[in-house]
Amino acid sequence: YLNSIMFGLVADDTVYLKVDDSNRQDYEAEEMGPFTYTGKRKPTQMSYYQLPENILEDQEQLKKWASKAIAVAEKTK
């Protein structure tokens, strides 16, 4: 969260950041997929995509990806 805005989540030791049409292609180019959980009847896909490990390990790139996720979260607030 940043200022009460959820822009990411961690599930099973995996980091996911908020996406929309403005940044989804970044994740897809790295072959990362969405966070999915099993709901009452079927799997449910959320608008959070897995952060590539190489981005997680690069502080400058992580700032850029997180900033984009924050911007997306602010738009959908």
Side-chain angles (χ1 to χ4, degrees):
Y1 285 87
L2 176 68
N3 300 325
S4 301
I5 298 171
M6 184 174 170
F7 70 93
L9 63 91
V10 177
D12 296 323
D13 295 324
T14 303
V15 177
Y16 298 86
L17 294 180
K18 184 80 169 165
V19 301
D20 69 3
D21 290 341
S22 69
N23 65 339
R24 185 177 294 109
Q25 69 278 358
D26 296 338
Y27 297 83
E28 291 173 346
E30 294 285 335
E31 299 182 3
M32 297 291 104
F35 175 72
T36 305
Y37 68 95
T38 303
K40 293 180 181 179
R41 297 178 226 176
K42 62 181 179 177
T44 301
Q45 181 176 310
M46 295 182 65
S47 59
Y48 294 85
Y49 271 55
Q50 183 177 346
L51 185 67
E53 192 170 321
N54 64 310
I55 300 299
L56 188 58
E57 295 172 357
D58 181 331
Q59 188 175 6
E60 290 303 313
Q61 286 298 313
L62 180 57
K63 285 180 188 178
K64 290 177 184 178
W65 285 55
S67 293
K68 289 180 181 182
I70 292 166
V72 170
E74 288 174 336
K75 286 191 296 189
T76 59
K77 177 180 165 187

